[in-house]
């Protein structure tokens, strides 16, 4: 597919502003750009995503391919999502989608089938080659930094990936979409869980899946029963709103026992801890130490906190220097370099 030694850039095209501007920027740099869109589920909403992506490709005058990833998406994303809640955990489907779909099925198709030289997405992150190793650094727009969602990527993926948006603010990206009259120029940010469409919510989706399961709210540390709920899967650690129990102080979800269908409630101070462990580890590059200080996030929208990381067999024990709240099984614990903030790796909180 390479023409006149022109490098081929495959862009994971979602039809949104970020991926559209990514394709535009690579086209301006002289690449032969092709758009690749994964069809995740068999729904009208998914068909609209594919059509929106095609509209962008047509506007830019580039080839466009649709890859049916519904089977893989069902197994690796939807079933993982449902089973996590069933087991009292809070999943992070975007991280799994990046691993199995974007840098799995779509990446492989782009590189192996379409012969692309590089693979690009609209993520806000910076890839640098440092002493022969590819490392992920924060993007310029700190409000859009997405390293947290990329910790499952390794050297194979990073060596073939580019993120053209790393040097731009989101406002600049949206302005470029306007200036070049790209189809999604006025579109809103995409929603978090692409397979749950409004007016459905995560709660209603899970309720349809699992039905009512009557269980108890128990107070920590007294063990007193405070009321009943209709399914532990409707709650997550640190949650305050939507509990529906009157108390003389604000109640937070502190723990979930999925086997007994018990949701434990307590005060905000009951929600703080210093220690946790992560499993299913993945490091962006080989690390030389089994015990080191780093900055760690246990959810996307928190500032990274200093902690000691100790790798023991296939797990890592993390000890924060100051207590953190809402340590949530199923979420990602992501590790960053103490000095320059680059991504080291991460795992799943257990």
């Amino acid at each position: 597919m390479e023409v006149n030694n022109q490098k081929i850039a495959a862009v994971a095209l979602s039809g949104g502003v970020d991926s559209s501007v990514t394709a535009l920027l690579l086209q301006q740099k002289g690449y032969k750009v092709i758009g690749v869109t994964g069809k995740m589920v068999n729904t009208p909403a998914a068909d609209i995503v594919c059509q929106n992506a095609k509209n962008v490709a047509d506007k830019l005058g580039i080839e466009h391919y649709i890859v049916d990833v519904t089977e893989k998406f069902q197994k690796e994303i939807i079933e993982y999502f449902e089973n996590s809640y069933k087991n009292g955990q809070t999943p992070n489907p975007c991280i799994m989608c990046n691993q199995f779909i974007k840098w799995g099925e779509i990446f492989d198709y782009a590189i192996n089938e379409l012969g692309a030289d590089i693979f690009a997405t609209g993520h806000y992150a910076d890839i640098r080659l440092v002493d022969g190793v590819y490392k992920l650094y924060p993007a310029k727009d700190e409000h859009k930094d997405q390293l947290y969602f990329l910790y499952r990527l390794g050297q194979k993926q990073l060596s073939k990936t580019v993120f053209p948006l790393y040097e731009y603010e989101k406002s600049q990206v949206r302005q470029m979409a306007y200036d070049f009259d790209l189809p999604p120029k006025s579109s809103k940010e995409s929603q978090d869980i692409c397979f749950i469409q409004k007016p459905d919510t995560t709660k209603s989706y899970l309720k349809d899946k699992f039905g009512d399961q009557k269980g108890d709210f128990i107070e920590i540390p007294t063990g007193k029963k405070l009321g009943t709920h209709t399914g532990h899967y409707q709650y997550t650690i640190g949650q305050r709103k939507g509990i529906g129990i009157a108390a003389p102080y604000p109640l937070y979800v502190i723990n979930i026992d999925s086997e007994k269908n018990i949701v434990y409630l307590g005060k905000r101070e009951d929600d703080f801890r210093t220690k946790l462990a992560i499993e299913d580890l993945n490091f962006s590059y080989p690390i030389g130490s089994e015990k080191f200080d780093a900055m760690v996030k246990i959810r996307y929208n928190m500032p990274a906190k200093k902690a000691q990381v100790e790798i023991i067999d296939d797990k890592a024990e993390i000890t924060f220097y100051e207590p953190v709240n809402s340590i949530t099984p199923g979420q990602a614990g992501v590790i960053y370099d103490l000095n320059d903030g680059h991504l080291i790796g991460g795992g799943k909180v257990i």
Side-chain angles (χ1 to χ4, degrees):
M1 192 178 280
E2 194 169 316
V3 182
N4 299 327
N5 295 321
Q6 188 180 27
K7 294 285 188 180
I8 300 169
V11 176
L13 208 56
S14 68
V17 168
D18 292 333
S19 64
S20 301
V21 172
T22 294
L24 171 70
L25 290 170
L26 289 171
Q27 195 176 51
Q28 290 176 339
K29 288 181 179 178
Y31 285 94
K32 174 181 169 61
V33 177
I34 51 180
V36 187
T37 303
K39 185 176 182 184
M40 311 297 188
V41 289
N42 288 312
T43 64
D47 291 336
I48 291 172
V49 168
C50 292
Q51 183 59 53
N52 288 345
K54 184 180 184 305
N55 292 343
V56 173
D58 290 346
K59 175 70 178 181
L60 294 173
I62 63 175
E63 297 172 40
H64 181 237
Y65 298 85
I66 295 173
V67 185
D68 187 334
V69 296
T70 52
E71 188 175 329
K72 189 83 166 179
F73 193 85
Q74 174 66 33
K75 179 185 176 185
E76 301 291 357
I77 313 305
I78 295 178
E79 290 180 15
Y80 146 79
F81 176 84
E82 294 170 351
N83 289 333
S84 295
Y85 277 108
K86 183 180 179 181
N87 295 324
Q89 300 181 342
T90 303
N92 209 311
C94 292
I95 290 174
M96 294 299 116
C97 185
N98 283 338
Q99 177 183 358
F100 291 108
I101 306 300
K102 285 183 182 144
W103 277 272
E105 300 280 295
I106 298 174
F107 176 90
D108 290 345
Y109 179 81
I111 301 298
N112 299 330
E113 300 297 323
L114 299 179
D117 296 288
I118 60 170
F119 179 72
T121 73
H123 283 85
Y124 288 77
D126 184 12
I127 300 174
R128 301 178 198 169
L129 184 60
V130 181
D131 298 329
V133 175
Y134 290 93
K135 295 183 178 181
L136 278 162
Y137 286 80
K140 179 181 177 182
D141 190 340
E142 60 183 25
H143 302 294
K144 287 292 293 181
D145 179 67
Q146 292 173 305
L147 295 192
Y148 182 85
F149 298 104
L150 301 171
Y151 85 85
R152 304 293 306 171
L153 305 189
Q155 291 297 296
K156 174 190 169 185
Q157 293 82 16
L158 294 176
S159 68
K160 293 275 190 179
T161 299
V162 295
F163 295 131
L165 302 188
Y166 79 89
E167 58 185 317
Y168 296 99
E169 303 281 344
K170 176 69 181 196
S171 57
Q172 294 174 295
V173 172
R174 192 169 287 283
Q175 187 61 50
M176 280 187 272
Y178 268 101
D179 292 345
F180 288 88
D181 195 30
L182 296 177
K185 61 185 180 182
S186 302
S187 65
K188 297 179 181 178
E189 290 285 301
S190 58
Q191 61 192 94
D192 289 338
I193 302 174
C194 63
F195 56 90
I196 299 177
Q197 296 297 318
K198 292 180 179 179
D200 282 346
T201 62
T202 296
K203 187 172 183 176
S204 67
Y205 176 93
L206 294 170
K207 209 170 176 65
D208 288 343
K209 177 70 181 178
F210 300 124
D212 285 347
Q213 299 176 11
K214 189 175 179 182
D216 293 335
F217 283 121
I218 301 294
E219 184 180 43
I220 284 180
T222 65
K224 176 184 174 184
K225 178 178 174 179
L226 297 179
T228 60
H229 58 78
T230 56
H232 69 269
Y233 56 81
Q234 300 173 61
Y235 303 92
T236 187
I237 306 298
Q239 179 177 334
R240 179 185 171 187
K241 294 182 179 178
I243 294 173
I245 297 289
Y249 56 85
L251 290 170
Y252 294 81
V253 176
I254 306 300
N255 199 7
I256 295 170
D257 186 330
S258 60
E259 289 188 8
K260 296 180 180 178
N261 195 23
I262 294 173
V263 177
Y264 291 94
L265 305 177
K267 298 178 181 178
R268 179 164 172 76
E269 54 261 37
D270 296 323
D271 192 31
F272 283 82
R273 294 184 1 233
T274 56
K275 292 180 180 289
L276 71 140
I278 58 175
E279 63 179 4
D280 192 18
L281 302 178
N282 187 79
F283 295 101
S284 298
Y285 57 90
I287 60 171
S289 176
E290 293 183 349
K291 193 172 185 179
F292 55 92
D293 279 354
M295 303 300 287
V296 177
K297 280 188 179 187
I298 54 168
R299 57 187 172 277
Y300 171 62
N301 60 350
M302 72 170 279
K305 303 283 189 180
K306 186 179 178 181
Q308 183 185 80
V309 180
E310 184 174 9
I311 300 166
I312 303 172
D313 297 325
D314 57 351
K315 296 182 176 65
E317 292 185 358
I318 294 172
T319 305
F320 285 99
Y321 283 88
E322 295 179 359
V324 296
N325 68 306
S326 305
I327 296 174
T328 307
Q331 285 287 288
V334 179
I335 304 163
Y336 305 82
D337 184 78
L338 197 61
N339 299 310
D340 63 14
H342 77 258
L343 179 70
I344 295 174
K348 187 175 78 168
V349 177
I350 54 177

